[in-house]
């Protein structure tokens, strides 16, 4: 039985090492997180960087360092356009990263008084080529135990690699455009029930991608792909679908919500879910039991999903966007949750730090 959850604890994320203005952008627009050792990896959907914070006590995360993906990969638009990073996940020696793969419609300025200007912005739909980003980057151990950096190459032959990105597409987006169910949504902007990747989880060569949209008659979508390493730092997709598609589509009954983030817990997939449209809550965490046992496209009904807890949200603020599995003292599993549009009460004075929530992860049934 799900319950309205209060955080078990609150942790502080401090981006003090960078300029105050940049730190204020980061803490106000966090879109994804993951944790390896003592490192908390975070992303802001308005940059081309992955941020690293380090904790010494499990309460304060600081020593901020940014890793610019433009220095590891050849991005189609360089660092002049955002990647719109919406998912981070680690597996073995790699950190996996995904962009949203979405179109973007401009929105009127908050207090716009000119109807013509507002209409022009609403009529503008953009395709940013950097958004079609799916990659893995080696986690390189530092001398200090539990600390990692990101680099083009790592230990045991690990090398950075991504799906080739053409102008406004990649192999996955091209395949989805032909899908009888999902294809029509590839032409619709994100946050309007269009295609919008928000969450990633990986195990070996299997990668799960959670979709904020489309939600089909209340059913959320999780894509599964299987990757293989190619030449010159490129990834390719294996044909794993029932008709030779480069993906499998899994449809889940998440009470009408779309996926905001994913994390693997053993063979289970922990899912952060929220509204597809640009709305306040509800925000919930689910468990898809034995997700890694799926070998075919799945229709995952309520009896195979545990509704674990409801994450608090505010009016216009505190939209849960990312979650990371962490281990507390005694081996208890917990979830760290970060928020987009954070409430003012989360923001520390000085413009560099923000509070995130930690929840107890209910045990599997």
């Amino acid at each position: 039985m799900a319950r309205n959850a209060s955080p078990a604890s609150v942790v502080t994320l401090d981006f003090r090492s960078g300029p105050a203005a940049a730190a204020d952008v980061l803490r106000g627009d966090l879109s994804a997180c993951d944790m390896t050792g003592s490192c908390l990896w975070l992303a802001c959907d308005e940059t081309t960087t992955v941020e690293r914070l380090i904790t010494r006590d499990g309460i304060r995360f600081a020593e901020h360092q940014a890793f610019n993906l433009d220095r590891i990969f050849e991005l189609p638009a360089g660092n002049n356009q955002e990647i719109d990073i919406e998912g981070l996940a680690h597996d073995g020696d790699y950190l996996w990263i995904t962009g949203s793969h979405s179109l973007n419609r401009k929105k009127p300025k908050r207090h716009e008084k000119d109807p013509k200007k507002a209409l022009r912005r609403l009529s503008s739909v953009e395709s940013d080529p950097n958004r079609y980003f799916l990659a893995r980057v080696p986690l390189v151990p530092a001398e200090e135990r539990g600390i990692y950096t990101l680099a083009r190459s790592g230990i045991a032959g690990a090398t950075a690699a991504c799906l080739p990105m053409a102008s406004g597409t990649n192999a996955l987006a091209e395949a989805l455009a032909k899908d009888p169910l999902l294809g029509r949504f590839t032409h619709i902007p994100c946050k309007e029930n269009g295609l919008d990747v928000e969450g990633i989880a990986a195990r070996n060569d299997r990668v799960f991608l959670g979709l904020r949209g489309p939600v089909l008659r209340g059913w959320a979508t999780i894509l599964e792909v299987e990757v293989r390493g190619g030449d010159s730092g490129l990834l390719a997709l294996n044909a794993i679908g029932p008709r030779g598609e480069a993906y499998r589509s899994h449809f889940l009954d998440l009470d009408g919500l779309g996926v905001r983030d994913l994390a693997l817990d053993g063979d289970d997939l922990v899912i952060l879910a929220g509204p597809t449209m640009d709305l306040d809550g509800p925000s919930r965490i689910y468990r898809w039991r034995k997700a890694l046992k799926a070998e075919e496209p799945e229709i995952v009904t309520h009896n195979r999903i545990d509704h674990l807890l409801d994450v608090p949200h505010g009016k216009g603020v505190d939209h849960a966007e990312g979650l990371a599995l962490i281990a507390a003292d005694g081996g208890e599993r917990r979830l760290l949750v970060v928020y987009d549009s954070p409430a003012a009460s989360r923001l520390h004075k000085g413009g560099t730090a923000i509070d995130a929530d930690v929840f107890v992860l209910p045990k599997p049934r």
Side-chain angles (χ1 to χ4, degrees), residues 62-327:
E63 302 177 53
H64 173 224
Q65 182 173 352
F67 295 87
N68 197 324
L69 297 175
D70 185 43
R71 297 177 182 174
I72 300 176
F73 300 97
E74 185 175 345
L75 301 178
N79 60 11
N80 295 319
Q81 289 184 2
E82 65 187 29
I83 293 177
D84 197 22
I85 298 173
E86 295 289 357
L88 300 171
H90 73 277
D91 178 58
D93 298 326
Y94 289 104
L95 183 73
W96 285 86
I97 308 164
T98 185
S100 64
H101 291 66
S102 67
L103 300 177
N104 179 48
R105 186 188 302 279
K106 288 188 176 181
K107 61 182 179 180
K109 295 180 180 179
R110 187 172 182 85
H111 299 294
E112 180 63 72
K113 296 180 179 180
D114 187 333
K116 291 183 179 179
K117 287 183 179 180
L119 184 59
R120 279 199 299 270
R121 292 185 69 84
L122 284 173
S123 301
S124 176
V125 176
E126 300 175 335
S127 176
D128 297 336
N130 284 356
R131 290 184 171 212
Y132 295 84
F133 185 81
L134 179 62
R136 62 187 184 192
V137 185
L139 290 162
V140 183
E143 291 185 6
E144 185 177 354
R145 183 178 177 84
I147 308 298
Y148 301 87
T149 61
L150 300 181
R152 286 192 181 92
S153 59
I155 61 175
T159 57
C162 67
L163 277 185
M165 290 171 283
S167 179
T169 190
N170 64 15
L172 176 60
E174 290 177 353
L176 290 172
K178 302 173 185 176
D179 187 275
L181 280 177
L182 303 177
R184 68 196 70 185
F185 296 96
T186 62
H187 305 291
I188 301 174
C190 61
K191 299 178 181 63
E192 298 176 16
N193 209 33
L195 180 73
D196 189 5
V197 177
E198 287 209 13
I200 186 171
R203 180 73 55 81
N204 299 322
D205 292 331
R206 296 178 70 181
V207 179
F208 293 87
L209 299 169
L211 302 189
R212 176 172 177 167
V215 171
L216 305 177
R217 197 57 188 260
W219 289 70
T221 309
I222 293 178
L223 300 175
E224 180 186 349
V225 298
E226 184 178 285
V227 300
R228 65 180 186 275
D231 297 329
S232 303
L234 299 178
L235 296 174
L237 301 178
N238 291 329
I240 62 171
R243 292 175 297 277
E245 301 95 336
Y247 57 91
R248 294 188 187 117
S249 300
H250 305 294
F251 298 100
L252 294 82
D253 185 354
L254 301 182
D255 303 305
L257 302 177
V259 177
R260 294 298 183 88
D261 206 0
L262 301 173
L264 278 169
D265 183 26
D267 287 342
D268 299 346
L269 200 57
V270 178
I271 304 166
L272 174 64
T276 298
M277 310 298 278
D278 194 7
L279 301 169
D280 296 330
S283 183
R284 296 172 180 164
I285 295 176
Y286 297 88
R287 181 188 295 274
W288 174 12
R289 300 191 304 274
K290 305 300 181 185
L292 276 180
K293 299 297 184 182
E295 297 181 354
E296 299 290 339
E298 296 275 358
I299 299 294
V300 189
T301 53
H302 250 189
N303 63 319
R304 298 174 56 198
I305 300 172
D306 297 335
H307 177 182
L308 301 179
L309 54 90
D310 291 344
V311 178
H313 64 88
K315 185 176 181 180
V317 297
D318 278 357
H319 300 149
E321 284 287 324
L323 84 165
L325 281 171
I326 59 177

Side-chain angles (χ1 to χ4, degrees), residues 26-50:
L26 291 175
R27 67 180 188 159
D29 240 329
L30 294 174
S31 58
C33 63
D34 189 61
M35 190 160 183
T36 59
S38 300
C39 300
L40 180 64
W41 304 97
L42 298 133
C44 166
D45 56 15
E46 295 187 0
T47 71
T48 59
T49 58
V50 173

Side-chain angles (χ1 to χ4, degrees), residues 328-341:
D329 292 341
E332 182 181 56
R333 302 286 276 170
R334 298 195 172 198
L335 290 170
L336 187 151
V337 175
V338 298
Y339 300 86
D340 187 12
S341 303

